[in-house]
Amino acid sequence: MSAHADTHAHDDHGHHHKETFVTKYIFSQDHKMIAKQYLVTGTIMGVIGVIMSLLFRMQIAWPEQPNVIFEALLGKWAPEGVMDADIYLALVTIHGTIMVFFVLTAGLSGTFSNLLIPLQIGARDMASGFLNMVSYWLFFLSSVVMVISLFVSAGPAAAGWTIYPPLSALPMAQGGSGTGMTLWLVSMAIFIASSLLGSLNYIVTVLNLRTKGMSMTRLPLTIWAFFITAVIGVISFPVLLSAALLLIMDRSFGTSFFLSDIFIQGEVLHYQGGSPVLFEHLFWFLGHPEVYIVILPAMGLVSEIMATNSRKPIFGYRAMIASILAIAFLSTIVWGHHMFVSGMNPFLGSVFTFTTLLIAIPSAVKAFNWITTIWKGNLQMNPAMLFSIGFVSTFITGGLTGIILGDSALDINVHDTYFVVAHFHLVMGISALYGMFAGIYHWYPRMYGRMLNKNLGYIHFWVTAVCAYGVFFPMHFIGMAGLPRRYYTNSNFPLFDDVSNVNVIITIFALIGGVVQIVYLYNFFISMYYGKKTVQNPWRSTTLEWTAPIKHIHGNWEGEIPHVYRWSYDYSKPGHDEDFVPQNIPLKDGEEELQH
């Protein structure tokens, strides 16, 4: 394994041909620019996803009431301002798809793997800049196709983000099952290609391009997280691609992989012998590793930010790596817990319950290690640190309900209710978003050379934190009361009249939480031009990315790449004048290297 990245091919990067606008900002092969492209694209998709959630939340809170916003944004799907039932399902479907894949997967892995892997391991760039560029443009193309599907005359895909057959497999099943569903599948196929190219690039870069002295046990936890995330992606995304291709065959070429004994209006269709449960297995074999693909990068970012802002070494560095590896392995053998009510053999259910409860152990190791890292630390409460602490909070509260849902006997009562929605939004939605926000506040000066406004950051954090719990905490209770997900109105069920007030409260919190993101967007885009200029190492951090010049240059470092002499968490080390020792500072005589 080559730890020496100083290959001759990289040496002439300091003075190479003049870049044009197109090669610098559009078809760039520089990992720092590609990271920004991912971030801005992910942000735009995030705005679309959040607006959708606010639309259907208003529908649940005030069903059948005319709403001028519906009329303005949904047009023919909201005649006289009353939302159509079909478009409600479509909004839920596209919201889920955009947030899980286009915002969290691409926003976290795409942005931060690209930005940090070369800078933190001491490489000039990714192993293949060209593949990196292709990966981003495939992601951009898939985003465009997904957005185009919103404007199909029969409506976008409306089978839920999990696209279970037969709704997704029969083009005539409902409006959104036609062209909208086809575009969804095309978009996802392109997205998977993008994700695989990116992942392979990240893996090769981490294994082959580390600078001299950067052994695997000196890597920051961010790099470990990105590396293992990429490995999980390479293992699991092809399975979703195969499911999508088989679904396309069923839809367009008359096969019966997922269909059998279908009747439409009394007429028997010709499909025989397929199984919709097969699709569930294929989907969730990706779908469960996917939630770890989303959360692991956030965990890596939070570990790095907490150590920096506690001015302490991360607690249990090797245990943190071991837990990342354990999560990666276990994530591939728990997918059946999404299918406890699919007629699964009870013995198989107990096996999946066992593996699911096992995955709580490495997750708990990480949670305790974060808490122990900030214990008695010299805490710097900047917005990045607040979002990191928020991450640990939502990860624990969301994870606790996972113990209930992971138990096959307990899950039956709350399956497909709002209890499930509350669980996974807290543990992977909100937690991953907090990790992403923490990363943006922390590495913004590294990306743009300017600081984000701290006070706007505080407003953003506190309002978002209160509203996130305000939305998802009450959902646990309406879920336990039996309220099913994905119903566009509950007014036909007198049983649920009691929870209608709770739904109004949830929606009000959601609206406030959605609006406050405008503060963040303003801060993000205005600070690019008017933010306070940063110093080279604003957080007094030990890792290599802060040794590179503020001005972005192709190849990251002028002259020689720094060599590494110590691990990445030498904070408050006795015998040093400063409370941090960067990795490129040689050990003093008699100084021992720490390895927790």
Side-chain angles (χ1 to χ4, degrees), residues 268-391:
V268 188
L269 301 189
H270 68 273
Y271 299 104
Q272 277 295 304
S275 165
V277 176
L278 169 63
F279 179 86
E280 292 188 32
H281 279 291
L282 291 174
F283 181 89
W284 286 115
F285 190 82
L286 157 93
H288 202 81
E290 167 63 25
V291 304
Y292 291 100
I293 290 170
V294 162
I295 205 75
L296 277 176
M299 288 175 161
L301 297 173
V302 163
S303 301
E304 181 66 34
I305 292 165
M306 280 201 163
T308 302
N309 288 309
S310 302
R311 314 310 296 164
K312 277 178 63 184
I314 190 80
F315 186 87
Y317 173 76
R318 295 196 175 217
M320 288 300 234
I321 296 172
S323 61
I324 289 174
L325 294 168
I327 284 172
F329 169 67
L330 289 169
S331 74
T332 58
I333 53 171
V334 296
W335 78 92
H337 65 218
H338 298 268
M339 300 170 55
F340 285 144
V341 296
S342 65
M344 177 189 285
N345 182 316
F347 174 72
L348 187 59
S350 65
V351 172
F352 279 123
T353 298
F354 176 64
T355 57
T356 302
L357 297 181
L358 275 184
I359 210 165
I361 297 169
S363 305
V365 167
K366 295 188 90 61
F368 285 122
N369 283 357
W370 287 317
I371 293 167
T372 319
T373 299
I374 60 175
W375 177 253
K376 293 193 173 177
N378 174 17
L379 303 186
Q380 317 293 308
M381 285 298 188
N382 48 44
M385 183 63 163
L386 288 175
F387 273 111
S388 299
I389 295 169
F391 168 93

Side-chain angles (χ1 to χ4, degrees), residues 520-568:
Y520 157 73
L521 291 171
Y522 170 83
N523 195 0
F524 183 85
F525 288 107
I526 295 295
S527 297
M528 282 183 200
Y529 304 100
Y530 304 108
K532 194 176 99 195
K533 289 202 165 159
T534 181
V535 294
Q536 187 168 348
N537 189 353
W539 313 117
R540 298 159 59 77
S541 199
T542 58
T543 41
L544 289 182
E545 77 269 32
W546 306 105
T547 64
I550 298 171
K551 185 176 181 302
H552 284 188
I553 54 169
H554 209 77
N556 294 339
W557 287 272
E558 288 160 341
E560 205 182 347
I561 297 178
H563 291 178
V564 168
Y565 300 96
R566 56 183 72 238
W567 76 320
S568 37

Side-chain angles (χ1 to χ4, degrees), residues 105-330:
T105 306
L108 275 160
S109 284
T111 302
F112 291 105
S113 297
N114 271 312
L115 178 72
L116 295 177
I117 287 177
L119 282 167
Q120 288 193 337
I121 67 173
R124 294 279 181 209
D125 206 312
M126 283 289 178
S128 167
F130 178 75
L131 267 189
N132 211 12
M133 175 188 81
V134 171
S135 165
Y136 167 72
W137 282 103
L138 284 174
F139 166 65
F140 181 80
L141 180 63
S142 72
S143 303
V144 169
V145 173
M146 191 59 77
V147 171
I148 286 173
S149 79
L150 300 175
F151 299 98
V152 172
S153 61
W161 80 277
T162 55
I163 58 161
Y164 284 178
L167 277 184
S168 57
L170 290 171
M172 69 290 266
Q174 64 190 88
S177 298
T179 318
M181 190 71 234
T182 304
L183 287 171
W184 191 99
L185 289 164
V186 169
S187 169
M188 284 314 299
I190 300 169
F191 176 85
I192 292 165
S194 149
S195 180
L196 288 173
L197 289 178
S199 295
L200 291 170
N201 218 348
Y202 306 149
I203 291 169
V204 173
T205 307
V206 171
L207 290 180
N208 286 348
L209 296 186
R210 303 192 306 282
T211 184
K212 189 174 182 197
M214 180 62 89
S215 62
M216 291 298 272
T217 48
R218 284 178 176 171
L219 287 173
L221 288 171
T222 37
I223 303 300
W224 270 104
F226 299 143
F227 172 57
I228 300 301
T229 299
V231 172
I232 303 175
V234 168
I235 291 167
S236 56
F237 266 119
V239 181
L240 183 66
L241 183 61
S242 65
L245 292 176
L246 295 181
L247 198 51
I248 289 170
M249 302 286 279
D250 271 13
R251 291 169 56 78
S252 306
F253 301 104
T255 57
S256 304
F257 290 108
F258 306 131
L259 293 167
S260 185
D261 305 320
I262 301 281
F263 293 79
I264 288 193
Q265 293 170 342
E267 183 191 342
V268 188
L269 301 189
H270 68 273
Y271 299 104
Q272 277 295 304
S275 165
V277 176
L278 169 63
F279 179 86
E280 292 188 32
H281 279 291
L282 291 174
F283 181 89
W284 286 115
F285 190 82
L286 157 93
H288 202 81
E290 167 63 25
V291 304
Y292 291 100
I293 290 170
V294 162
I295 205 75
L296 277 176
M299 288 175 161
L301 297 173
V302 163
S303 301
E304 181 66 34
I305 292 165
M306 280 201 163
T308 302
N309 288 309
S310 302
R311 314 310 296 164
K312 277 178 63 184
I314 190 80
F315 186 87
Y317 173 76
R318 295 196 175 217
M320 288 300 234
I321 296 172
S323 61
I324 289 174
L325 294 168
I327 284 172
F329 169 67
L330 289 169

